[in-house]
Amino acid sequence: MRILVTNDDGIFAEGLWALVKGLKSIAQVIVIAPIREQSAVGTAVTLSQPLRVQKVPLIVPGVETYSVEGTPSDCVILALEKLVKSQVDLVVSGINHGLNLGDDVLISGTVSAALQGYLRGFPALAISVAAVDSLYLDSAAKLATLLAEKIDSGVLSSNILLNINLPDLPLAKIRGAQVTQLASKSHINTVEEGNDGRRQYYWLVRQKTDRVADNQTDIWAVERGNISITPLHTSLLNRSAPAIPDNLCSHLLQGLRQQ
Amino acid sequence: MRILVTNDDGIFAEGLWALVKGLKSIAQVIVIAPIREQSAVGTAVTLSQPLRVQKVPLIVPGVETYSVEGTPSDCVILALEKLVKSQVDLVVSGINHGLNLGDDVLISGTVSAALQGYLRGFPALAISVAAVDSLYLDSAAKLATLLAEKIDSGVLSSNILLNINLPDLPLAKIRGAQVTQLASKSHINTVEEGNDGRRQYYWLVRQKTDRVADNQTDIWAVERGNISITPLHTSLLNRSAPAIPDNLCSHLLQGLRQQ
Amino acid sequence: MRILVTNDDGIFAEGLWALVKGLKSIAQVIVIAPIREQSAVGTAVTLSQPLRVQKVPLIVPGVETYSVEGTPSDCVILALEKLVKSQVDLVVSGINHGLNLGDDVLISGTVSAALQGYLRGFPALAISVAAVDSLYLDSAAKLATLLAEKIDSGVLSSNILLNINLPDLPLAKIRGAQVTQLASKSHINTVEEGNDGRRQYYWLVRQKTDRVADNQTDIWAVERGNISITPLHTSLLNRSAPAIPDNLCSHLLQGLRQQ
Amino acid sequence: MRILVTNDDGIFAEGLWALVKGLKSIAQVIVIAPIREQSAVGTAVTLSQPLRVQKVPLIVPGVETYSVEGTPSDCVILALEKLVKSQVDLVVSGINHGLNLGDDVLISGTVSAALQGYLRGFPALAISVAAVDSLYLDSAAKLATLLAEKIDSGVLSSNILLNINLPDLPLAKIRGAQVTQLASKSHINTVEEGNDGRRQYYWLVRQKTDRVADNQTDIWAVERGNISITPLHTSLLNRSAPAIPDNLCSHLLQGLRQQ
């Protein structure tokens, strides 16, 4: 199995390398990630400028690594159309430092990178953890590995785009895993004013809403200590796709808790 | 009626000002638009840097105008959260020089700006014409004006996000108007390699697919010479919203052809 | 006479247009300026990306205007090598909102734009006023006009790069004008730490030094209420160039005070 | 001895790490370099945006490494004012892939980084090799090491800013080393026009002039197969500084050829 890995926190992010180390145990991994942090860059694709790519000295032995001066979507397009072409079986984006839930997935670089994989016909996973300085990156990496195996073995259809979010809990305290729907807005933007000594500026800040999430949504699930798995191909794109097997979640949990 | 106008082609784009001149006949218009062209910037929101805003010398008399060093989404967030607050009845984004159809709306700055309005509870229109150097900007502006009036009068619900695309035809040759669904991908990206004399680069290029569009989709409609009106609140966000009145399209066409 | 005007505060800056209005009385003026504020961008030239140019709707009637998504140096190179070619008699950069004195001229976009003109064989002026919200832009514009006339008539050699700074005083209170040398550093940088709620950042801030400036330097002159005229072709580039006529300063003052 | 190393080719450049490996044999080295290639960014300092700094996983064991989303000058200012403060004995910028000669040093990020060190009172070296894919980075690194030792031992004054350029020759073929003056312009810019399928663009390109360089200038020296050492504190800033010892060049050559 060959897996393309990218993220939106940039090539030096801890979550990226935790993910790579996990996936490396079951597949050949290639990393093509943005050189700079790209949070909230959403679906942006760079059309008006050329892109620069650098081969990066190996950070994890055996894992070919490239950095791109561009967005997460640029990375996936460049990989699938040029650098590794179609010799890939799966696209995984993450592990994002911070949740990507509800309508907010629309501005998530992590999800957008996975979306570019899905729109090109590849199964794609976006994976995020709750805490910016998460202690549980390994669980998330393990979960990505289990899902990759299920896609590889055909248990899970390859015509999927899954958005996965883990609560900030040790494995033992995670209550369960759920297939969920996208909630609506989880954050609002407020605007702070400042002055740099020469000119006024405005800074957009995201703040959690106190809105109560509907049952069975991704926000609702994570708030209750569950892993949320949202099939975005139906939730976001309103597109039919093979169903998720009923026992997926219990199998995943079981797999996570093994060993 | 008070209308916030923005776009993704930037503050000097012809389409923006054609739209402003149209809407000005029925409403107070305020323009807050990106200072630079922002095509394909999609849903990007600028969180990691402060934003700079400049009051721009009036380009159309009586129309307060600001430029933002940011994305189309930044413009709408900044407007609605800070600069004009909620004293707005409608958000209109465009007139984009080039169509925004199918899955490609996900990377459209024009649509993303309207989406930010809709997510904040405002009715929102994204409007695009087929040709980059369109001769028919006035028809598009007139159409936006007619829709604004229908929202203002309550004929059309204010809980909507509409994506409107016009074929490159004079009014007399437009066959009709249709409420449509989002098609899937209309463009693919190819990657061109180059060298600037010092370093290699890659340039993403968008090319039309030759895929046949499904009936009743936006691409299908425009290819047949129709105006396409896609309710994105249902097509993209899978969200229920008040239905579009049955006779909307015939009324719009009639309105367009008057005078 | 044909004059190329640029600046580093960007196409909408008040100082730029005060300068244009002044020079327009004696010459044909063409404006090619950055679309965004570019202070402290220094000598930067954009080689790794293409540049975009837009014809801007006329801001001052009769004055052809272009905006460039690039640095002040980019603007001058693009103008002299492509857009207006060598059909120019003088390059004027400014009026900068804030002084450009001492070693700090090395990071000044205003001065760097003039430098690019000089290095290509054109006489070049950089002109700055003390206050960011100066009330005396007209005096500065008048001074630029007088210098342009002296270059046009051959009183002043065309092989010059002059850096001109005006104190924040009404014309009646200006004590004199002086040919000066470059002082050393007038500002230091301090670094402020901050956090945007997600990540730490550092922000460079410039602060005036309390160093006492040497006699006959530009800082010394302006502090005493004088207009400072620094021949940068000798001060910065250590290059011989025709001398400044002895009576230049008195003639300029006389000219400024007329009418 | 403690040495701050930076460059303008970015944190992954081969020249940077060749230099680090050389200097590490005689000093404690800290690397603070731009995350992206920054050629021709000249003296630019980032004042209008905050800067982001990342601790980079060690690339050379024992060498603390930071990447900055900013210019070479930003890196040095940030280092000396905040990250390492004044606990530095020398600033070295390079090894640049490509020569920095004549007036062109004014747009060199490599030289500008060294300049920021010098203006803050530190001895500073900028070092460049002729070929973009140089085979002789080790000679350049050795030369930097020899100069650092001479500064450390007081043989060379610490009040200096030296710009060093090496021809593209193996050590055995290098004819000598010379203290030189800055030549005038070595490159001109031409402008290429292009079109990305949507919009026209201009691309600045640098081309060598065929101008004959004056004797004793940096260009003249390198063209003749010599290492050029230009004291920029006098050539560029017209500032007096302790003289370079007469026998410096012969000592350096001897040192280079040893071992």
Side-chain angles (χ1 to χ4, degrees):
Chain A
M1 191 179 202
R2 203 145 184 256
I3 303 179
L4 172 67
V5 172
T6 192
N7 75 343
D8 79 351
D9 289 321
I11 197 86
F12 296 128
E14 225 182 319
L16 176 73
W17 295 105
L19 178 61
V20 168
K21 280 171 200 157
L23 294 174
K24 209 178 151 258
S25 64
I26 59 154
Q28 188 189 344
V29 174
I30 181 167
V31 174
I32 303 184
I35 199 161
R36 319 205 305 181
E37 197 257 2
Q38 295 277 332
S39 291
V41 82
T43 57
V45 172
T46 304
L47 295 182
S48 59
Q49 287 172 15
L51 296 170
R52 307 293 179 154
V53 178
Q54 280 186 96
K55 205 163 194 308
V56 171
L58 296 190
I59 296 180
V60 164
V63 177
E64 211 177 322
T65 304
Y66 297 89
S67 72
V68 176
E69 297 180 14
T71 68
S73 291
D74 292 341
C75 291
V76 173
I77 295 171
L78 210 49
L80 297 180
E81 302 287 338
K82 193 83 195 179
L83 300 178
V84 296
K85 294 246 170 90
S86 51
Q87 297 142 4
V88 158
D89 303 296
L90 174 64
V91 175
V92 186
S93 178
I95 302 169
N96 191 63
H97 296 261
L99 297 167
N100 278 309
L101 297 168
D103 287 348
D104 295 337
V105 302
L106 288 164
I107 67 153
S108 159
T110 306
V111 170
S112 297
L115 175 66
Q116 284 292 344
Y118 173 75
L119 291 176
R120 276 167 180 72
F122 297 91
L125 311 176
I127 186 156
S128 307
V129 294
V132 171
D133 294 316
S134 176
L135 299 173
Y136 313 118
L137 292 170
D138 289 347
S139 302
K142 179 87 180 287
L143 183 60
T145 306
L146 292 168
L147 282 160
E149 284 176 327
K150 292 203 179 301
I151 290 164
D152 197 35
S153 65
V155 170
L156 201 53
S157 158
S158 66
N159 185 17
I160 49 162
L161 169 61
L162 299 182
N163 185 37
I164 299 135
N165 284 276
L166 287 90
D168 189 31
L169 295 171
L171 199 47
K173 295 222 169 150
I174 286 180
R175 291 180 50 185
Q178 276 187 286
V179 175
T180 57
Q181 288 184 299
L182 215 50
S184 55
K185 219 160 178 49
S186 68
H187 285 80
I188 48 161
N189 286 99
T190 53
V191 179
E192 288 179 3
E193 283 180 80
N195 193 298
D196 64 6
R198 301 181 309 138
R199 291 196 303 154
Q200 194 192 25
Y201 64 77
Y202 298 97
W203 205 319
L204 305 187
V205 179
R206 300 181 74 204
Q207 294 187 318
K208 266 196 169 166
T209 60
D210 46 8
R211 206 178 298 179
V212 178
D214 292 338
N215 281 12
Q216 310 308 324
T217 62
D218 51 359
I219 298 178
W220 184 87
V222 172
E223 279 175 355
R224 269 149 204 76
N226 293 291
I227 294 169
S228 164
I229 301 176
T230 318
L232 289 184
H233 46 287
T234 54
S235 272
L236 180 65
L237 292 171
N238 199 7
R239 197 157 298 170
S240 63
I244 306 295
D246 281 345
N247 57 4
L248 175 73
C249 288
S250 58
H251 278 184
L252 287 174
L253 263 189
Q254 204 179 318
L256 266 183
R257 286 173 178 157
Q258 269 171 16
Q259 166 197 27
Chain B
M1 192 178 201
R2 202 144 184 255
I3 303 179
L4 172 66
V5 173
T6 193
N7 75 344
D8 80 351
D9 289 319
I11 196 87
F12 295 128
E14 223 183 320
L16 177 72
W17 295 106
L19 179 60
V20 168
K21 281 171 199 156
L23 294 174
K24 210 179 150 258
S25 65
I26 60 152
Q28 188 188 345
V29 175
I30 181 166
V31 174
I32 302 183
I35 199 162
R36 319 204 307 179
E37 197 259 1
Q38 295 276 331
S39 291
V41 82
T43 56
V45 172
T46 304
L47 294 183
S48 59
Q49 288 171 13
L51 297 170
R52 305 294 179 154
V53 178
Q54 280 186 95
K55 207 164 193 306
V56 171
L58 295 190
I59 296 180
V60 164
V63 177
E64 211 176 323
T65 304
Y66 297 89
S67 72
V68 175
E69 296 180 13
T71 68
S73 291
D74 292 341
C75 292
V76 173
I77 295 171
L78 210 49
L80 297 180
E81 302 287 338
K82 193 81 194 181
L83 300 178
V84 297
K85 296 247 167 91
S86 51
Q87 297 142 5
V88 158
D89 303 296
L90 174 64
V91 175
V92 187
S93 178
I95 299 168
N96 192 61
H97 295 261
L99 296 167
N100 278 308
L101 297 168
D103 286 349
D104 295 337
V105 301
L106 288 163
I107 66 153
S108 159
T110 307
V111 170
S112 296
L115 176 66
Q116 285 291 344
Y118 173 74
L119 292 177
R120 275 167 180 71
F122 298 90
L125 311 176
I127 186 156
S128 307
V129 293
V132 171
D133 294 317
S134 176
L135 299 172
Y136 314 118
L137 292 171
D138 288 347
S139 302
K142 179 89 179 285
L143 183 59
T145 307
L146 292 169
L147 282 161
E149 283 177 326
K150 292 203 180 301
I151 290 165
D152 197 36
S153 65
V155 169
L156 201 53
S157 159
S158 66
N159 186 17
I160 49 161
L161 170 61
L162 300 181
N163 185 37
I164 299 137
N165 284 275
L166 287 91
D168 189 32
L169 294 171
L171 200 47
K173 295 221 168 151
I174 286 180
R175 289 181 51 187
Q178 276 187 284
V179 175
T180 58
Q181 287 184 300
L182 216 49
S184 56
K185 218 158 177 51
S186 69
H187 285 79
I188 48 161
N189 286 99
T190 53
V191 178
E192 289 178 2
E193 282 180 80
N195 192 298
D196 63 6
R198 300 182 311 139
R199 290 195 304 154
Q200 194 191 25
Y201 64 78
Y202 299 97
W203 204 320
L204 305 187
V205 178
R206 300 181 75 203
Q207 294 188 319
K208 266 198 169 166
T209 61
D210 46 8
R211 205 177 298 179
V212 178
D214 292 338
N215 282 12
Q216 310 308 324
T217 61
D218 50 0
I219 297 179
W220 183 87
V222 172
E223 279 175 353
R224 269 149 202 78
N226 293 291
I227 294 168
S228 164
I229 300 176
T230 317
L232 290 182
H233 45 287
T234 55
S235 272
L236 181 63
L237 291 171
N238 198 7
R239 198 156 297 170
S240 63
I244 307 294
D246 282 343
N247 56 4
L248 175 73
C249 289
S250 56
H251 277 185
L252 287 174
L253 263 187
Q254 202 178 320
L256 266 182
R257 285 173 177 156
Q258 268 172 15
Q259 163 199 31
Chain C
M1 192 179 201
R2 204 145 182 255
I3 303 179
L4 172 66
V5 172
T6 192
N7 76 343
D8 79 351
D9 289 320
I11 197 85
F12 295 128
E14 223 182 321
L16 176 73
W17 295 106
L19 178 62
V20 168
K21 281 172 199 155
L23 294 174
K24 209 178 151 258
S25 65
I26 60 154
Q28 189 189 342
V29 175
I30 182 166
V31 174
I32 303 184
I35 200 163
R36 318 205 305 180
E37 198 257 1
Q38 295 276 331
S39 291
V41 82
T43 57
V45 172
T46 305
L47 294 183
S48 59
Q49 289 172 14
L51 297 171
R52 306 294 179 153
V53 179
Q54 281 187 94
K55 206 163 193 308
V56 170
L58 296 190
I59 296 180
V60 164
V63 176
E64 211 175 322
T65 305
Y66 297 89
S67 72
V68 176
E69 297 180 13
T71 68
S73 291
D74 292 341
C75 291
V76 173
I77 294 171
L78 209 50
L80 297 180
E81 301 287 339
K82 192 82 193 180
L83 300 179
V84 297
K85 295 247 169 91
S86 52
Q87 297 142 5
V88 156
D89 303 295
L90 175 63
V91 175
V92 187
S93 177
I95 301 169
N96 191 63
H97 295 261
L99 297 168
N100 279 308
L101 297 168
D103 287 348
D104 295 337
V105 301
L106 288 163
I107 66 154
S108 159
T110 308
V111 170
S112 296
L115 176 66
Q116 285 292 344
Y118 173 74
L119 291 176
R120 276 166 179 73
F122 298 90
L125 311 176
I127 187 157
S128 306
V129 293
V132 171
D133 295 316
S134 177
L135 300 172
Y136 313 119
L137 292 170
D138 288 347
S139 301
K142 179 87 180 286
L143 184 59
T145 306
L146 291 169
L147 281 160
E149 284 176 326
K150 289 201 182 303
I151 290 165
D152 197 36
S153 65
V155 169
L156 201 53
S157 159
S158 66
N159 185 18
I160 49 161
L161 169 61
L162 299 182
N163 185 37
I164 299 135
N165 284 276
L166 287 91
D168 188 32
L169 294 172
L171 200 47
K173 294 220 169 152
I174 287 180
R175 289 180 50 185
Q178 274 187 287
V179 176
T180 58
Q181 288 184 298
L182 216 50
S184 54
K185 221 162 176 48
S186 70
H187 285 80
I188 48 162
N189 286 99
T190 53
V191 178
E192 289 178 4
E193 283 180 78
N195 192 298
D196 64 7
R198 300 182 310 138
R199 290 195 304 154
Q200 192 190 28
Y201 64 78
Y202 298 97
W203 204 319
L204 305 187
V205 178
R206 300 181 75 203
Q207 294 188 319
K208 266 197 169 166
T209 61
D210 47 8
R211 206 177 296 179
V212 178
D214 291 338
N215 282 11
Q216 311 308 324
T217 61
D218 49 0
I219 298 178
W220 184 87
V222 172
E223 279 175 353
R224 269 150 202 77
N226 292 292
I227 293 168
S228 165
I229 300 176
T230 317
L232 290 183
H233 46 287
T234 55
S235 272
L236 180 65
L237 292 170
N238 199 6
R239 199 157 296 169
S240 65
I244 306 294
D246 281 345
N247 56 4
L248 176 73
C249 288
S250 57
H251 278 183
L252 287 174
L253 263 188
Q254 206 179 317
L256 266 183
R257 285 174 177 157
Q258 270 172 14
Q259 165 197 27
Chain D
M1 193 179 199
R2 202 145 184 255
I3 303 179
L4 171 67
V5 172
T6 192
N7 75 344
D8 79 351
D9 289 320
I11 197 86
F12 296 128
E14 223 183 321
L16 176 73
W17 296 105
L19 178 61
V20 168
K21 282 171 199 156
L23 293 174
K24 207 177 151 260
S25 64
I26 60 153
Q28 188 189 342
V29 175
I30 181 165
V31 174
I32 303 184
I35 199 162
R36 321 205 304 180
E37 197 258 1
Q38 296 276 329
S39 291
V41 81
T43 56
V45 171
T46 304
L47 294 183
S48 59
Q49 288 171 14
L51 297 170
R52 306 293 179 155
V53 178
Q54 280 187 97
K55 208 164 192 308
V56 171
L58 295 190
I59 296 180
V60 164
V63 177
E64 210 177 322
T65 305
Y66 297 89
S67 72
V68 175
E69 297 179 13
T71 68
S73 291
D74 292 341
C75 291
V76 173
I77 295 171
L78 210 49
L80 298 179
E81 302 287 338
K82 193 80 194 181
L83 300 177
V84 296
K85 295 246 168 94
S86 51
Q87 297 143 5
V88 158
D89 303 296
L90 175 64
V91 175
V92 187
S93 177
I95 301 168
N96 192 62
H97 295 261
L99 297 167
N100 278 308
L101 298 168
D103 287 348
D104 295 337
V105 301
L106 287 163
I107 65 153
S108 159
T110 307
V111 170
S112 297
L115 176 66
Q116 285 291 344
Y118 173 75
L119 291 177
R120 276 168 180 71
F122 297 91
L125 311 177
I127 187 156
S128 307
V129 293
V132 170
D133 294 316
S134 177
L135 300 172
Y136 314 119
L137 292 171
D138 288 347
S139 302
K142 180 86 179 287
L143 184 59
T145 307
L146 292 169
L147 282 161
E149 284 176 325
K150 291 202 182 302
I151 290 164
D152 197 35
S153 65
V155 169
L156 202 53
S157 159
S158 66
N159 186 17
I160 50 162
L161 169 61
L162 299 182
N163 185 37
I164 299 136
N165 285 275
L166 286 91
D168 188 32
L169 294 172
L171 198 46
K173 295 223 169 150
I174 286 180
R175 289 180 53 185
Q178 276 187 286
V179 174
T180 58
Q181 287 184 299
L182 216 50
S184 54
K185 219 161 177 49
S186 69
H187 286 79
I188 48 161
N189 286 99
T190 54
V191 178
E192 289 178 4
E193 283 180 80
N195 193 298
D196 63 6
R198 301 181 309 137
R199 288 195 305 155
Q200 194 192 25
Y201 63 77
Y202 298 97
W203 204 320
L204 304 188
V205 179
R206 300 180 74 204
Q207 293 188 318
K208 265 196 169 167
T209 61
D210 46 9
R211 206 177 296 179
V212 178
D214 292 338
N215 281 12
Q216 310 309 324
T217 62
D218 50 0
I219 297 178
W220 183 88
V222 172
E223 279 175 354
R224 269 149 203 77
N226 293 292
I227 294 168
S228 165
I229 301 176
T230 317
L232 289 183
H233 47 287
T234 55
S235 272
L236 181 64
L237 292 171
N238 198 8
R239 199 157 298 170
S240 64
I244 306 294
D246 281 344
N247 56 5
L248 175 73
C249 289
S250 56
H251 278 183
L252 287 174
L253 262 188
Q254 204 178 318
L256 266 183
R257 285 174 177 157
Q258 269 172 14
Q259 166 196 26

